[in-house]
Amino acid sequence: MKKILLALLVLLMLAGCSSNTDTPNTDDENANVKLEGLELQFVPSKDADVIIAGTEGLPELLAAALLEEGYEVPADKINITVGTNYDATGEGLAAGTIDLGWLPGGTYALYSDEVDVVLTATRNGLSNDSENPADWNGEANKTEKNGPQVTYYRSLIYAAPTEYGKKLAEKVNNGEALTWDDLNAATWAVQKTSSSAGYIYPTMWLMENYEGKKLTDLEHVVILDSGYGTAFAQAAAEQVDIIVCYADGRNDYEASWTLPIDEKDETGKQGMGRSESIWNELNVIGVTDGIYNDTVAITKAKPEIYNEKFITAIQNALINVISSDEGQQIFSVYSHTGYAKAVDSDYDGARAALDAVVK
């Protein structure tokens, strides 16, 4: 009997030891990863208040989509801001004060040592993709955003309705080539040096057509620090002769162009007080090569999000968001209609373009 009792005691002790071993907790492994919040930032390629208003519903949609991917982030802790300029967003991502940023290809190329691309935007192509600037001018040539899905866009060089801008436009519309002296006599408004459509590709257009000359070789250049809205406002006020912008810029400012200056259009853009159509007054005098589409980029400074698991989750979440009707409406502020997974090498061309411009 003693032997039987001893054997039972040993079995009970073994069972107790077994129950205290470090076996994996399946429930813990499958639990959602909790993040305190996310800082999202857009570059000011549109007016900041327009972007903030247009993306108001994004935190709730993104929080729900991330939850499906195993990440729990409070919607009220997903903050959306607009950078004061393109470099500010790139610098914020590099420093880790911004988690995700919507960057044009040129800005991404500049900061790609400290940030990584996760998505490339797709967009509806325009009804016009001609390399002949005269084909873009006049109400009859108004562009529509009804083309096929594309992964590139163009920058256009526009002549403002100043007395001198009209002379440049007249030459182009008559089929005459502009000379370097024609362009050098004009006052230009451009964006900062990391802007693809606002600086890099217009510079490359000059280099290709005017024996390697760049924007820095022009005598009268104003570098704007507050986005394309300022450029269009200065053109409307006849303060500059030439502005540069992405190809569907006139679509975005069509309504505000002819509104009184004390009114705003339905998206919040301030009226510019012109009386004629923007398609007749803001004439294209140059067309750049195609520019690879904008990125969604992630900081490398925060290991809790810069890892394969979260990158996959944010890719899937944003693709799912933009696939919804609400998401389509939100990202229409950037003319983005879809997102495709991307890798850094997709932007080798943007890096080469940036190198050519800044040397």
Side-chain angles (χ1 to χ4, degrees), residues 10 24 88 91-92 117 191 197 231 322 350 359:
V10 171
E91 289 166 4
V117 63
Q191 304 299 311
I322 203 169
K359 284 181 181 177

Side-chain angles (χ1 to χ4, degrees), residues 103-158:
L103 300 177
T107 310
Y108 171 72
L110 184 62
Y111 291 94
S112 57
D113 286 342
E114 295 88 14
V115 308
D116 203 358
V117 63
V118 294
L119 294 168
T120 292
T122 61
R123 64 178 71 209
N124 289 330
L126 299 179
S127 56
N128 190 350
D129 197 39
S130 174
E131 295 182 359
N132 177 12
D135 292 342
W136 294 78
N137 296 330
E139 191 74 33
N141 292 320
K142 174 180 176 179
T143 56
E144 302 289 346
K145 299 181 181 181
N146 58 5
Q149 289 286 295
V150 293
T151 57
Y152 75 93
Y153 62 105
R154 296 184 187 274
S155 176
L156 301 178
I157 294 86
Y158 302 88

Side-chain angles (χ1 to χ4, degrees), residues 244-263:
V244 295
C245 183
Y246 50 87
D248 49 335
R250 288 179 297 181
N251 297 76
D252 292 338
Y253 292 92
E254 179 181 12
S256 59
W257 185 260
T258 53
L259 279 179
I261 58 175
D262 59 349
E263 295 183 16

Side-chain angles (χ1 to χ4, degrees), residues 20-349:
N20 289 327
T21 55
D22 293 328
T23 55
N25 188 321
T26 304
D27 289 340
D28 289 341
E29 286 181 352
N30 293 332
N32 292 327
V33 179
K34 294 184 178 181
L35 297 177
E36 292 184 1
L38 287 172
E39 295 293 331
L40 315 183
Q41 190 166 101
F42 293 84
V43 296
S45 57
K46 305 286 177 68
D47 296 343
D49 53 352
V50 173
I51 294 173
I52 293 298
T55 58
E56 183 179 5
L58 180 56
E60 288 76 14
L61 291 177
L62 183 56
L66 280 171
L67 190 60
E68 292 292 321
E69 299 296 324
Y71 280 84
E72 188 174 331
V73 190
D76 61 356
K77 297 297 183 181
I78 298 178
N79 298 317
I80 297 176
T81 56
V82 179
T84 53
N85 54 59
Y86 290 24
D87 289 337
T89 302
E91 289 166 4
L93 283 164
T97 56
I98 303 299
D99 298 320
L100 293 168
W102 276 252
L103 300 177
T107 310
Y108 171 72
L110 184 62
Y111 291 94
S112 57
D113 286 342
E114 295 88 14
V115 308
D116 203 358
V117 63
V118 294
L119 294 168
T120 292
T122 61
R123 64 178 71 209
N124 289 330
L126 299 179
S127 56
N128 190 350
D129 197 39
S130 174
E131 295 182 359
N132 177 12
D135 292 342
W136 294 78
N137 296 330
E139 191 74 33
N141 292 320
K142 174 180 176 179
T143 56
E144 302 289 346
K145 299 181 181 181
N146 58 5
Q149 289 286 295
V150 293
T151 57
Y152 75 93
Y153 62 105
R154 296 184 187 274
S155 176
L156 301 178
I157 294 86
Y158 302 88
T162 60
E163 182 179 353
Y164 190 67
K166 289 177 181 178
K167 290 180 180 178
L168 297 177
E170 184 178 6
K171 287 189 71 173
V172 168
N173 290 331
N174 288 334
E176 300 177 49
L178 296 175
T179 67
W180 173 257
D181 289 340
D182 289 334
L183 298 176
N184 194 37
T187 299
W188 292 59
V190 303
Q191 304 299 311
K192 297 193 75 174
T193 55
S194 66
S195 170
S196 297
Y199 193 95
I200 295 172
Y201 279 77
T203 295
M204 293 181 70
W205 176 79
L206 286 174
M207 293 171 66
E208 291 168 4
N209 291 284
Y210 297 96
E211 299 180 344
K213 288 186 169 61
K214 303 178 180 181
L215 284 172
T216 51
D217 294 311
L218 293 165
E219 294 182 9
H220 312 288
V221 177
V222 178
I223 297 179
L224 303 176
D225 204 28
S226 51
Y228 290 108
T230 302
F232 278 84
Q234 290 192 0
E238 301 183 20
Q239 296 173 343
V240 295
D241 302 308
I242 294 175
I243 67 171
V244 295
C245 183
Y246 50 87
D248 49 335
R250 288 179 297 181
N251 297 76
D252 292 338
Y253 292 92
E254 179 181 12
S256 59
W257 185 260
T258 53
L259 279 179
I261 58 175
D262 59 349
E263 295 183 16
K264 292 184 178 182
D265 70 8
E266 61 181 11
T267 67
K269 297 186 186 73
Q270 197 70 42
M272 300 183 195
R274 303 299 299 186
S275 58
E276 293 292 327
S277 163
I278 195 171
W279 305 99
N280 294 329
E281 286 208 291
L282 201 63
N283 277 244
V284 177
I285 59 173
V287 181
T288 75
D289 291 336
I291 307 168
Y292 208 72
N293 272 351
D294 296 343
T295 73
V296 181
I298 190 170
T299 182
K300 292 182 180 179
K302 299 173 74 171
E304 63 268 31
I305 61 170
Y306 186 58
N307 58 71
E308 184 178 352
K309 183 177 180 180
F310 181 78
I311 288 173
T312 299
I314 195 66
Q315 286 173 327
N316 292 339
L318 284 170
I319 288 171
N320 287 335
V321 167
I322 203 169
S323 297
S324 68
D325 291 341
E326 299 93 331
Q328 286 280 309
Q329 183 63 35
I330 287 170
F331 288 110
S332 67
V333 72
Y334 259 18
S335 300
H336 295 175
T337 55
Y339 288 118
K341 294 183 179 181
V343 295
D344 179 71
S345 60
D346 291 339
Y347 288 86
D348 285 346

